[in-house]
């Protein structure tokens, strides 16, 4: 092959070329075919390839494409070979002769082709991930909307904090997930540029039309500098970090849901087809899927580390370390993230909420002590710190369970305040009783992004807009990619017509 | 303190509160003061704080601010205490009495305050980083512009590839650095939201004006959901991954520059004040700064891992693991990244380019063999693969150094082609000679983002636009932050006036 | 300085040399002084340095050492300088003249000195960390021993699993922590080798006695190959990964303790001086220290990533990236790990165990269902799967709370088995009642490493042996290091004597 | 299945159980069969299983084992099922009836089984990795031994430093690789413990013989505490960090070899069957395999991060996150590390060394300037710093190429020293000439681990001992595992005999 007098060493073939080929037939060939078509059409359009030659090449290309679509291996792949590209080109030469079959690889290189394949694949991966994230957001928003009045303690540091609702919690974590969606979408913008024409990294003296190739491939732009085009895969860092952030959000949601579905809380419950039992503990109903989700969700973080490490201290030029090794572990990580999203959506859709248990938990959990202090401020004009200290003293004194009545609370609190030399106030028992009621506390938390149902509905509306925008963006990309397919078909038909006429 | 009957355990004080306080006085207090002013002004505006109380608080606040600006520790910090916030509030109570000094902490919590401090700091960090990256881009573009005609081999896989220029290389890596700048700027958008009003994560029943507080703090928006406001630090993942990507680009640039300044290449050289020598090898001039740069440049990657790990499987609520532990190692990592940027800009500005040595290296490096094959295609109509194979045979035959003359090349190549049963062609020696000249090859690489000087100038123009846009964005943010300072001052003056009148 | 005609560039000085010097005076100078003494003594012993010269150098050295010990900066450090080593050597030359002061740096280099400093520091760090881990193990074993009969549910997948004890849990996690102690100790073995004599990486033609220098420094061996001696810091990967593993164990322990001290469990409780309260929620007692512990505990993981990344693709030779940049972030990570250990020991020592609450939790948690199935196997000869399925049916039928009586259980279970066409068995109500009792279940779990108190005591004995062995190892190292100090003092005295006599 | 009334949800089946099963048939079933045999044999030995039942189970087991060995899927795996274990047990019940087929799962659980499978697999993985590392060490030591006199510059900071040899370099990096071998072997010790008997994590009331099961499985010990047995996978952190360290060493070796095989150095060369060419640059011979090696070599680092993250903040008990998710990505990372080792050994074995080019490079590289300074110290009694400064002045003055003659050097150096007011010395030209000769410099670097051939041979002997010890250790493990197989077969035969007799 060219300057080399020998086929690859058998061990090299066994460890690199053979497994590489098995993968590439699945994951590279479909993209290579698309790129090849775009390149042939452009060359022909620029007069760098005669119409008959182009038409011949497109015919063989068409065959390969249909066989590939049918899941066949469309040409001989037996070793010792040096990888997909060479066999692929050989196939053309074998079919069309050296003059035509060997004429395509002008003004391009495996370097810009590989860079383009990676971007086409990354594009598809992002669309798939955003579809799945969108579906999770739909599930989450639906459950949140159903539960804007499902009163539940919120927690800080694992301790009951203040009354809130399940809907408020879901809207909150939904906002974080929505942002990671926006970051994934922003990564699309970094991906969406065509490297073709950069050849080996030093461009070409042939008058190629890079913008046309970009259009044929559904890219919105070209990469201006040829060295950058073949050397950089930086968009993968963006994609992986957005996926990593999304994964972290899933571990947090997964952690909370597993808490709340545990025996100690029983706020939520999963149906039998979403839990497993134990091989020796007959009573067990384990929400193991949440553990899978958390485990799958950290894969993008690890792939990100792989990507950063593989790229570190490489030359800024075409590099196997960057173009192959930094990239390969990213794909299974995106797949894992996608699975985590699907599993979480599944769980959320089927989650059974136990409102009674949530309310029972609030009993004795003292979550309205802030409301009580706020009441002293709002109604009786105390400084907040004074009110807070008085309620703290009250909490220390009160029996834990059953919770003291409003009457007892009012009496004791007045005594505490009197002892603290605060101007005498007279607490209204009715008002104290209302203040101590978690549900009323939720209703009054209307400000500052709180859990009052109307406030949460507004928060969900905001999230819904983000969801809608993401959907629209993805739809726009899909449309552009479909249009590119049509453009190529039309151009190919035109060339075949030209060839017939010539 | 409140419900607690004991001061912190001495060991806890020694390991946590005391070192925490030392740090917080430097890094938190200035932001806390800003937040406090905004909160007081808003409370007063909403009628939740009487004008006289507000004026009194603002007076003490003003004192604290000026003392802090002068580098003093503005209040008693001796132990055993429970951290900055409590001492800070005690100071107000001590100065103004319980009724006024204890009245500020209404409709807020340390949770939303901490979340806000982190965002204010992140904002400043991003601005600083973008300033430094901008300065590096300026240096890099200047050197690139100077060197659009500095012919140099480009490399792939560490082997001479094709003729290019130093300018083309710098424009390429500049494009990658420019993108990381855009990612940093995009992270600003994620940071730029005010958490205030979220209180402990469940909002508040007091009618706060969150938008006003946001404006007083120079934020463009509020965070809608209170749980999200206190629970999330996801923007740090974005900031750190952008900085990590930038760091990786620096390691690649640093790697190449160290290659090229090594004895084996001598393409570039550093002045004596930017190298070190050895304590035992008298001849040594070591470009050690490039090694520091690469080492500093991976810090954000490690801080990113810390951030992801610390956040993993935490409850989605206020959490020390997220709000403190995931955040703390980010700041020194940004500082390291900033230093790496400054050092790289310094090196680039003082880099001495040896054009002669670059040309000498091209001798015998066979970098125009692609040009020769292209010539066979463009001028003589050969299929590229045929041309490529013929030139490969030629390379195998030719003596390495001194390089064969155009005449020898032409003669041999014709013979090789004849033997390969290609229709006879007649090579023009003059054209072959020109084809073999690296400088001419560069001039003709006008397409596909290649190194032809005019093409590189266009690439640099594109980069310049990105640079200008980043500069403008940063200037806009700075303006908004300055305006917020003015807004607060005006509002404070109005309140003091009101208080005087009342 | 040597070949360089210029002092360092001001910016280089500001960003590198100046902050480097501030650090090095604290962290490098004490070790440099020790190395210098060892080197002088060896040179003198080998006749490479005259006794009077050696004595003069040792005098200045002694002064520097005492001033450093007193916390003074023992020589001029004003810029623009090129770092500690040069100033340090200048000080000798200034004090003793060029002939004597400049004579020490023979057969060595900053490269082997830096490598040695790092190992001396790593050695100290490991000893400190093992002391702290040992203290934690002591606390943990003490609490485990106290709680071998503290019956508590164990959990899998956050659901109650089987009856166990707090002692069993602590013995389990103690075993994991004990292993990480063994790994840290194993890393000591990798650290414990002297690089001195390797000079810049190519050894020396002077007849040095490397073993003697090693002895003077308390190392047990030398590093055979000079390139290895200056190029490698691989032991840091071992140290950091052992610390990372230890950190992960702490996050798991920290997670469980925070669960169990939460309102939903209340198995354990912390005293007021180890919790914090909220600035707005008066009822809050937050075990925030566990969150700090988890956050601190992941720092070694991030420092490990930094270390791996900084070392990746560096030349195997002396390298700033490896020797400085990969190393620097390791030290604060070890400090953080040490703090996490101390905080965890503190918490464990003061943890208040609520046995009643643990027993109450077991009510209705069905943790003896496995025991019931086992009973059917052991007493009634059923196949385990048959027994398991029958008990599963029982669990489905039984009311959750209050738990069914043994009589009801026996009756229903018999009916279920009869329906399942199992040969009729007659359950003994007394035996069933005993089987259903968590405390009895614990007593009978004597096999397979179970929680029966005697078994746990054996497990703790095993852990105690590991703890004792670690203690002994550390004591042995300390002894060797102290002996080295004595050796150096004796040799210095001998040289001074020699010098006087000569 | 037990308490669950429903099969797994279709999506859960599609995403988890089905792909899990495909994997488990390959990677888990062979180990499960071994464990099952050991458990049956032990139960029978302890009288917990009747001989006829045991014999029946062993018969079915034998069938399954042979079918699995033949690569068949030995039982029905169609969905919707809940994973390998349940289908496997169903197969026994189907074949032998509920009474016998369902009797094995006593005193065990999937938890201890899974923990055991992971350790059996980790054991095999370590043996495979150590075999490959051993083979690389063999190749490396052979090439080092051949090249103890191959004079080559060593480098620091990418600049020529001092004369050394290729053998010295290889012995150095070999020492680092040897250490990582020792760390991998140490990890084996952590792996080599049997969890069986721990059941779900709370042991068992059945009188199992854990030591016997351990022996049947080739483990040298049991894990004492049942919670530890099922909860911990910490040994994976050790395995992965040792593999990560090994990977880092490979990236450094790979980096240096790629430098030295590049056009700028040409110290070494690869045969045609180990390089690739370019699709458009006919002259290219790319050592791309070194880039694959570096890329593969960082995979364990990323898997380590995955492992640490997945384990972080999990309960210390059986956990899918730890037992499944933290473990899964480790296996492909070990495979990648194994490939990297094999590829590196292949390259080293076929590396062609160009001694002439190495010598040519030394010309003008000034690598003997340290030797010259040393000469001034050793022969003329100068202080090293004085000598160093004088030689530095000399270097500044001398023309770079062609190198000055010894006569010129001596004359100039004497003049420089005179100007520096050093007592007059008279340099011997012959001695200076010898000092300036890199080959002689190498011969005299006999101390401090230097490159003198005899010294390097000693270094290689030391490495050879480590290699031999690793080989012996691995052989010992293999022997023990084989013996365990024999033990099981003998015990099975005895039981079958017993069953026949009964």
């Amino acid at each position: 092959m060219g300057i080399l007098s020998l086929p690859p060493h058998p061990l090299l073939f066994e460890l690199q070329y053979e497994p590489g080929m098995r993968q590439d037939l699945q994951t590279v060939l479909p993209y290579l075919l698309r790129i090849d078509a775009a390149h042939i059409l452009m060359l022909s359009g620029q007069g760098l390839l005669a119409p008959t030659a182009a038409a011949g090449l497109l015919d063989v290309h068409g065959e390969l494409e249909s066989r590939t679509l049918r899941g066949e291996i469309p040409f001989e792949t037996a070793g010792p070979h040096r990888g997909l590209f060479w066999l692929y080109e050989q196939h053309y030469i074998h079919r069309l002769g050296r003059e035509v079959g060997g004429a395509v690889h002008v003004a391009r290189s495996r370097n810009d082709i590989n860079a383009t394949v990676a971007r086409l694949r990354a594009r598809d991966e992002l669309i798939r991930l955003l579809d799945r994230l969108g579906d999770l957001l739909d599930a989450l928003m639906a459950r949140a909307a159903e539960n804007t009045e499902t009163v539940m303690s919120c927690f800080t540091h694992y301790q009951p904090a203040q009354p809130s609702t399940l809907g408020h919690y879901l809207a909150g974590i939904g906002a974080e997930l929505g942002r990671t969606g926006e970051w994934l979408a922003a990564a699309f913008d970094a991906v969406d540029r065509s490297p073709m024409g950069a050849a080996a990294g030093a461009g070409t003296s042939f008058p190629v039309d890079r913008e046309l190739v970009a259009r044929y491939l559904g890219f919105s732009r070209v990469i201006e500098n040829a060295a950058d085009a073949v050397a950089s895969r930086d968009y993968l860092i963006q994609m992986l970090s957005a996926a990593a952030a999304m994964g972290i959000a899933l571990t947090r949601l997964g952690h909370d849901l597993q808490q709340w579905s545990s025996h100690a809380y029983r706020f939520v419950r999963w149906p039998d087809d979403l839990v497993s039992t134990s091989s020796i503990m007959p009573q067990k109903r384990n929400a193991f899927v949440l553990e899978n989700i958390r485990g799958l969700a950290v894969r993008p973080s690890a792939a990100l580390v792989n990507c950063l490490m593989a790229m570190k201290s490489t030359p800024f030029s075409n590099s196997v370390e960057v173009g192959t090794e930094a990239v390969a572990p990213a794909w299974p990580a995106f797949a894992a993230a996608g699975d985590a999203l699907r599993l979480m959506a599944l769980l959320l859709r089927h989650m059974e909420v136990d409102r009674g248990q949530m309310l029972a938990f609030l009993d004795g959990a003292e979550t309205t002590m802030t409301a009580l202090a706020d009441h002293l401020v709002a109604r009786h004009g105390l400084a907040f710190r004074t009110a807070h200290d008085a309620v703290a003293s009250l909490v220390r004194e009160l029996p834990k369970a059953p919770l003291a009545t409003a009457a007892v609370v009012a009496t004791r609190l007045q005594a505490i305040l009197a002892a603290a030399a605060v101007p005498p106030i007279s607490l209204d028992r009715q008002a104290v009783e209302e203040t101590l009621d978690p549900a009323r506390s939720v209703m009054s938390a209307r400000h500052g992004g709180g859990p009052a149902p109307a406030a949460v509905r507004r928060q969900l509306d905001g999230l819904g807009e983000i969801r809608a925008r993401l959907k629209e963006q993805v739809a726009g990309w899909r449309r552009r990619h479909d249009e590119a397919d049509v453009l190529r078909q039309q151009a190919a038909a035109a060339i075949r017509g030209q060839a017939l006429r010539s």
Side-chain angles (χ1 to χ4, degrees), chain A residues 12-90:
Chain A
L12 195 56
F13 184 71
E14 175 198 334
L15 295 182
Q16 296 281 104
Y17 289 110
E18 198 169 44
M21 180 55 112
R22 269 200 303 277
Q23 290 246 323
D24 286 356
L25 285 169
Q26 302 280 331
T27 57
V28 172
L29 183 54
Y31 295 117
L32 177 55
L33 283 163
R34 239 187 282 172
I35 293 165
D36 224 23
H39 191 65
I40 293 167
L41 296 169
M42 180 279 289
L43 286 182
S44 166
Q46 298 294 100
L48 296 164
L49 203 60
T52 47
L57 289 160
L58 289 169
D59 283 346
V60 177
H61 179 275
E63 274 173 43
L64 289 175
E65 203 160 44
S66 10
R67 296 193 59 189
T68 302
L69 271 175
R70 288 198 302 268
E72 298 172 24
I73 296 179
F75 46 74
E76 192 57 47
T77 62
H81 60 71
R82 285 186 179 269
L84 175 66
F85 175 78
W86 299 104
L87 294 186
Y88 175 83
E89 191 185 58
Q90 271 319 110

Side-chain angles (χ1 to χ4, degrees), chain A residues 140-155 162-174 253 256-257 260 267-270 348 351-355 358 362 442 451 456 459-460:
Chain A
L140 196 142
M141 289 189 296
R143 299 315 304 267
E146 274 169 49
N147 287 285
T148 53
E149 304 192 15
T150 305
V151 177
M152 187 183 99
S153 175
C154 74
F155 297 82
Q162 292 181 273
S164 183
T165 66
L166 180 57
H168 186 250
Y169 172 84
L170 292 173
I173 188 86
L253 174 56
D256 288 336
L257 292 179
W260 297 337
F267 290 179
V268 298
R269 195 184 174 278
W270 316 104
L348 278 179
M351 177 173 71
E352 298 161 10
V353 176
D354 188 336
R355 290 179 172 79
M358 287 174 174
L362 285 163
V442 161
V456 172
Q459 296 158 22
L460 288 172

Side-chain angles (χ1 to χ4, degrees), chain A residues 84-421:
Chain A
L84 175 66
F85 175 78
W86 299 104
L87 294 186
Y88 175 83
E89 191 185 58
Q90 271 319 110
H91 179 79
Y92 280 87
I93 290 172
H94 175 76
R95 291 287 303 276
L96 301 168
R98 198 165 59 178
E99 213 129 319
V100 171
V104 187
H105 202 63
V106 76
R108 74 177 194 185
S109 153
R110 278 185 305 168
N111 299 3
D112 57 351
I113 292 175
N114 286 345
T116 309
V117 166
R119 284 173 182 265
L120 291 172
R121 192 170 177 189
R123 235 167 56 171
D124 285 356
E125 210 57 71
L126 278 169
I127 288 176
R128 199 171 306 130
L129 217 49
L130 280 165
D131 278 347
R132 282 167 189 177
L133 176 58
D135 187 57
L136 171 60
L137 287 174
D138 288 341
L140 196 142
M141 289 189 296
R143 299 315 304 267
E146 274 169 49
N147 287 285
T148 53
E149 304 192 15
T150 305
V151 177
M152 187 183 99
S153 175
C154 74
F155 297 82
T156 64
H157 316 290
Y158 290 82
Q159 300 292 6
Q162 292 181 273
S164 183
T165 66
L166 180 57
H168 186 250
Y169 172 84
L170 292 173
I173 188 86
E176 176 148 323
L177 286 164
R179 282 192 295 277
T180 66
E182 295 180 297
W183 296 335
L184 285 169
F188 190 93
D189 184 62
V191 171
D192 183 27
R193 306 177 193 198
S194 177
M196 288 306 294
T204 179
S205 58
F206 291 99
V208 292
D209 184 342
R210 304 184 75 197
E211 280 69 21
L212 181 60
V213 174
R215 250 188 333 272
Y216 280 144
L217 292 171
F219 287 113
S220 68
R221 270 176 303 172
V222 304
I223 305 173
E224 294 301 340
N225 178 286
D228 184 25
V230 301
S232 65
R233 300 288 187 279
D234 49 4
Y235 58 84
L236 264 182
I237 299 175
Q238 286 308 98
M239 286 175 64
L240 284 167
S241 67
M246 188 184 73
I248 292 305
L250 289 177
T251 66
R252 300 182 78 177
L253 174 56
H255 170 273
D256 288 336
L257 292 179
Q258 201 160 19
Q259 294 282 322
W260 297 337
S261 63
S262 76
H263 181 79
Y265 292 85
R266 278 166 291 166
F267 290 179
V268 298
R269 195 184 174 278
W270 316 104
D272 278 13
D273 60 355
L274 293 176
V275 297
S276 66
T277 188
S278 159
S279 68
I280 66 158
M281 294 175 284
Q283 85 280 9
K284 281 308 226 64
R285 299 180 74 263
N286 293 323
F288 74 104
V289 184
L290 287 164
E291 301 175 30
N292 285 118
I293 288 172
R294 289 197 301 272
L296 293 166
V298 301
R299 301 274 172 96
S301 296
L304 176 56
V305 169
N306 187 86
C307 187
L308 294 165
M309 281 192 79
M311 288 183 183
K312 187 247 168 180
S313 285
T314 51
F316 191 73
S317 65
N318 187 64
S319 153
V320 170
E321 230 171 326
V322 172
T324 303
E325 297 294 345
V327 171
W331 312 124
F334 290 127
D339 283 359
L341 290 168
R342 292 176 79 186
L343 290 168
M344 187 58 98
L346 179 69
L347 287 183
L348 278 179
R349 288 216 164 82
H350 294 274
M351 177 173 71
E352 298 161 10
V353 176
D354 188 336
R355 290 179 172 79
Q357 179 63 22
M358 287 174 174
L359 284 175
F361 185 94
L362 285 163
D363 255 5
E366 301 165 339
T367 53
T368 47
M369 293 303 108
T370 308
L372 192 56
D374 283 352
H375 177 75
L376 294 176
V377 173
R379 191 77 77 84
H380 301 281
L382 265 63
F384 182 79
R385 186 57 56 220
T386 308
H388 175 275
D389 285 350
V391 176
S393 301
L394 176 80
V395 171
R396 243 193 328 236
E397 282 183 19
L398 287 183
K400 292 299 155 220
L403 201 64
T405 61
V408 171
V409 164
T411 310
R412 299 264 190 124
L413 196 50
Q414 260 171 220
I416 288 166
L417 287 166

